Amino acid sequence: MELVYIAAALMISGAAIATGIGFGLLGGKLLDSTARQPELSDQLQTKTFIMAGLLDAVPMIGVGIAMYLIFVVAGG
Amino acid sequence: MQRPHRVAPARPKRPGVHRLLLAQVGVILTVVALSLIVGKGSVTLSALLGGLVALIPNAWFAWRAFMYRGARFRARMIGSLYRAQVGKYMLVMLLFAVVFSIVPPQAPVWFFATFALVQGVYGAGPWLIGRAGSH
């Protein structure tokens, strides 16, 4: 049973690390390109928003499955 | 003597993010309708909960990410984007915990499928929002 918790912890931490790295890169590029071309800032922000949504779609599913393991599989 | 003409600063328009959220609501309603045809009430509840767990954090993210616009506020814009993402992550975990501890889904496949479909609407983001930020 402990293995389920370890697996869930690995999934949640992996998702958090992946999202963090992705958002760091995305935010850095947004800041860089907004400083370079301020007139495009609105377009860049909207594109960043869409990319952010795509970026964390798969990690969020991983988090969901991890929570399912914790609360339903291990808890039930 | 002519008085100086005062003009309120133009406020940048928000992009059509609401269209993305409406498309997500549409996906939820479609899957719920499909589950009503195919399965039982428990399947419908699972699909609905899966959709809501994805939709509520996305609505928060869309609201929080666009609090600041314009190149002058770029530092605040980035900070707002990061806070939006942290809030979304926490909200998703909280909602998953609440759903799984109070109403464990009887049809987990439908639950996660609806969740994934609602998240996947971002793939149609450029088409839904149009030429991003150009209006």
Side-chain angles (χ1 to χ4, degrees), chain B residues 113-135:
Chain B
T114 316
F115 183 84
L117 279 174
V118 172
Q119 291 281 7
V121 171
Y122 274 98
W127 179 71
L128 284 168
I129 299 181
R131 279 173 295 170
S134 62
H135 49 284

Side-chain angles (χ1 to χ4, degrees), chain A residues 12 15-16 19 23-24 27 30-31 34 38 41-43 45-46 48-50 52-54 56 60-61 63-65 67-68 71, chain B residues 12 15 17 20 61-62 65-66 68-71 77-78 81-82 85 88-89 92-93 96-97 100 108 112 116 122-123 125-126 132:
Chain A
I12 292 174
T19 310
F23 255 82
L30 175 64
L31 199 58
T34 307
S41 69
D42 285 356
Q43 287 186 42
Q45 190 184 10
T46 311
T48 305
F49 170 78
I50 294 168
L54 286 172
D56 66 356
M60 287 295 173
I61 295 168
V63 167
I65 293 171
M67 298 299 267
Y68 186 78
F71 283 95
Chain B
V17 178
L20 194 80
F61 183 64
F66 286 103
Y68 297 99
R69 302 211 74 195
M77 197 166 79
I78 300 289
L81 190 74
Y82 286 156
Q85 177 57 25
K88 183 182 175 184
Y89 202 82
V92 164
M93 286 188 70
F96 271 127
F100 289 148
F112 286 113
Y122 274 98

Side-chain angles (χ1 to χ4, degrees), chain A residues 4 11 14-15 19 21 23 25-27 29 33-34 40 46 48-49 60-61 68 72-73 76:
Chain A
V4 174
M11 287 169 83
T19 310
I21 292 171
F23 255 82
L25 291 172
L26 205 58
K29 297 285 182 196
S33 40
T34 307
L40 294 179
T46 311
T48 305
F49 170 78
M60 287 295 173
I61 295 168
Y68 186 78
V72 181
V73 175

Side-chain angles (χ1 to χ4, degrees), chain B residues 24-110:
Chain B
Q24 290 181 336
V25 172
V27 166
I28 295 173
L29 292 177
T30 307
V31 176
V32 164
L34 198 67
S35 70
L36 279 173
I37 296 166
V38 174
K40 295 179 289 186
S42 59
V43 173
T44 306
L45 183 65
S46 296
L48 183 65
L49 286 174
L52 287 178
V53 168
L55 179 70
I56 294 169
N58 275 326
W60 153 267
F61 183 64
W63 172 73
R64 194 70 177 80
F66 286 103
M67 281 192 92
Y68 297 99
R69 302 211 74 195
R72 275 192 307 162
F73 305 111
R74 58 178 173 266
R76 288 184 189 175
M77 197 166 79
I78 300 289
S80 188
L81 190 74
Y82 286 156
R83 283 192 197 94
Q85 177 57 25
V86 171
K88 183 182 175 184
Y89 202 82
M90 293 296 161
L91 209 52
V92 164
M93 286 188 70
L94 180 76
L95 287 173
F96 271 127
V98 167
V99 167
F100 289 148
S101 55
I102 296 175
V103 204
Q106 300 296 312
V109 174
W110 281 83

Side-chain angles (χ1 to χ4, degrees), chain B residues 2-16:
Chain B
Q2 195 175 4
R3 294 178 69 182
H5 185 64
R6 291 190 178 180
V7 179
R11 221 185 140 150
K13 286 183 182 174
R14 293 170 80 89

